[in-house]
Amino acid sequence: QIYRVSGASVQRYRVPAPAADVRASTVFQDRSGAFWFGTQGSGVVRLEGDRATVFSKATGLRSDTVRQTLEDRSGGLWIALDSGLSRWDGHSFRNYYLQDGLSYPSVRCMILDGRGDLLVGTDAGMSRVHDGNIVRDNEFAAMAQDKIWAMYEDADRTLWVGTRGGGLLLFRSGKMARFTRDNGLLTNTIFQILDDG
């Protein structure tokens, strides 16, 4: 269910048909103000004003289980899925999978880096999307066995990568460092990375 919070008021928000029964697991607002609700098995719902549009495998989305949505600099919408990656250009989807260079089918997280490339974290390492194509990045080869569940690039373009079971990775100036419980982390599984300012 979806709720709208305004001050101290919390009210259930009812998405109009054909998505009235949507059970959202992710939410993203694009630069036009439209909301995109990702679901676990029903695709993604775009809500613009009081008009809802459902996108699913039937309309070109690679999978119906959505993990994250992100907008790139040109306004394209990237959707991380449990099976691949899709990009919406406003008219149709372009899908990415193993044959396109994706490091693993299950996509967990995405960020745009300082160069405008899309970094894609999967359950078997990372992929880089440059100018719409997945390209090989030798810097990421050391993570081929890591489950990448969180990423953050700071103002110095240092890339922080959280893994499931492999600790926290840091990429700076072409070098990688790994921090684990042996270095003082509470756990070797990282779900989110935030900058405290």
Side-chain angles (χ1 to χ4, degrees), residues 148-166:
I148 311 302
W149 282 34
M151 291 183 286
Y152 177 76
E153 187 179 67
D154 65 25
D156 297 327
R157 291 198 179 176
T158 297
L159 178 64
W160 301 82
V161 178
T163 73
R164 182 176 179 187

Side-chain angles (χ1 to χ4, degrees), residues 107-148:
V107 177
R108 293 289 178 176
C109 58
M110 306 176 291
I111 63 167
L112 286 175
D113 72 4
R115 300 188 301 187
D117 287 352
L118 182 75
L119 305 184
V120 181
T122 77
D123 278 343
M126 282 176 55
S127 298
R128 178 183 293 277
V129 181
H130 177 76
D131 288 339
N133 297 301
I134 298 175
V135 297
R136 181 171 175 78
D137 191 322
N138 293 329
E139 187 177 35
F140 298 155
M143 291 187 295
Q145 303 305 313
D146 283 302
K147 294 180 178 183
I148 311 302

Side-chain angles (χ1 to χ4, degrees), residues 166-168 178-190:
L168 179 68
R178 185 183 296 265
F179 303 95
T180 66
R181 291 180 66 181
D182 293 338
N183 306 106
L185 283 181
L186 183 64
T187 176
N188 286 335
T189 296
I190 312 293

